[in-house]
Amino acid sequence: MDFALSEEQQAIFDMAHSFGQDNIAPHAQQWEREGTIPKALWPEIAALGLAGLYVPEEHGGSGLSRLDATLVFEALSMACPSVAAFLSIHNMCAKMLSAFGSDETREKYLPKALTMETVFSYCLTEPGSGSDAAALKTKATKTNEGYSLTGTKSFISGGGYSDAYVVMARTGDDTARGISALVIEDGTEGLSFGGLEDKMGWRSQPTRQVQMDGCKIPPENLLGEEGKGFKYAMMGLDGGRLNISACSLGAAQTALTATLAYMHDRKAFGQSIDQFQALQFRLADMEIELQAARVFLRQAAWKLDTQAPDATQFCAMAKKFCTEAGSRIVDQCLQLHGGYGYLADYGIEKLVRDLRVHQILEGTNEIMRMITARAMLAK
Ligand SMILES: Cc1cc2nc3c(=O)[nH]c(=O)nc-3n(C[C@H](O)[C@H](O)[C@H](O)COP(=O)(O)OP(=O)(O)OC[C@H]3O[C@@H](n4cnc5c(N)ncnc54)[C@H](O)[C@@H]3O)c2cc1C
């Protein structure tokens, strides 16, 4: 058993970290205020091979492992978890195109997904179904020209911003086996968007409803087989859960590093506040929790990479553990900054807001417990 990163993995982390520090961190607060991420950023990220992280090389991707990908997301989220998490969603879609798309679908969409000329969003949630995603109602009715897509997706990261959407829709019965995955392009007749959601965090990412009304979808835009869309969507989520965990850890590391420096400089009662043992214990607790979360995340990623039978359970457990640890740490870091932690200039309050949603999306942490408990009971 070897817990060290390889030289190549360290280089991947360093490359993503330095890109984030140079090109994302200086602008993160401004993008949050503007409520959007400049589209010009994405081709630069794609040029580093970060748009198709686990798309195999023969399909033009980087062919990295899930563990490698967590390093990228941890490194980028040290600059801004909202930007990093958005890239994770695009990667999830790119992987779905590569893994399940026919040759024709891949040729049509993958090259531009890998350069991020086409930015992708993932549309599963609906106004009436979130955790119970298989209850979705969006319908794709077969026509002579392909499909006619009608329904509403809610909370879509990149809604009204992205260039194309992977949409899970019903082509068959009311069960999970009646769901298929289809690609719809921006500009399709009948495709419209709700108003911009006013959110607590992830504010640089536009979130809107995606509304489809009789949208004509060509047959080659069906990913894989009819009726397998829910399975594909869930397979994407295992990796998504690892990525979102990594985003929590990167942001928590940034907050902890900043807090150490702040506590050294800040004086109270005649000494640096890092000299109070009660606060030192809190620093130690945060470090222990962060290190434990990182090891757990990498173990879960390794399970997914090696297709271990309990990979889904481990991805769920790591997601619950890491996202809650991340939120606890950034909240403590805010507290240790005193009143300054509450000010936007110090960058900590943004992390508290950004990380909160990691406990809700990619499956809520209650659902992560449900997956874990079911696996325990099945044994
Ligand atoms: C900022 C943001 C961005 C998002 N981006 C996307 C996106 O890009 N694409 C997309 O498809 N979705 C996206 N989502 C949606 C997200 O995945 C859902 O919000 C999430 O899955 C929860 O669904 P819900 O909001 O309908 O809550 P519900 O499913 O209604 O859950 C409400 C509460 O009940 C709990 N609960 C539900 N069922 C159970 C159960 N069986 N046992 C115990 N507790 C349960 C939940 O944990 C939660 O606490 C996004 C959400 C947000 C907030």
Side-chain angles (χ1 to χ4, degrees), residues 86 89 92 121-133 153-159 166 168 197 199-203 205-208 237 241 357-370 374:
F86 191 75
I89 297 168
M92 184 154 62
S121 284
Y122 173 95
C123 304
L124 179 63
T125 307
E126 298 187 357
S129 59
S131 302
D132 185 13
K153 296 290 178 179
S154 52
F155 289 113
I156 302 307
S157 303
V166 174
M168 270 46 80
E197 304 291 1
K199 311 193 294 296
M200 174 183 183
W202 275 28
R203 292 181 69 84
Q205 287 186 31
T207 306
R208 293 187 181 87
L237 279 181
R241 284 169 189 159
V357 78
H358 296 186
Q359 296 179 47
I360 298 172
L361 41 69
E362 307 274 356
T364 67
N365 283 5
E366 288 74 27
I367 298 301
M368 299 306 103
R369 290 181 184 89
M370 197 175 90
R374 275 186 185 164

Side-chain angles (χ1 to χ4, degrees), residues 13 70-79 81 84 241-257 286-299 318-330 333 351 355 358:
F13 178 89
T70 66
L71 303 176
V72 169
F73 291 107
E74 186 178 348
L76 288 178
S77 66
M78 289 177 168
R241 284 169 189 159
L242 297 175
N243 296 348
I244 213 70
S245 304
C247 289
S248 280
L249 299 189
Q253 183 65 67
T254 292
L256 186 52
T257 306
M286 287 193 283
E287 177 70 2
I288 292 164
E289 200 168 11
L290 188 52
Q291 295 291 355
R294 195 174 278 128
V295 172
F296 195 12
L297 172 62
R298 291 182 185 170
Q299 185 195 20
K319 194 268 186 181
K320 189 256 174 212
F321 189 81
C322 296
T323 56
E324 289 178 9
S327 282
R328 259 194 307 275
I329 291 168
V330 293
C333 288
L351 299 179
L355 293 203
H358 296 186

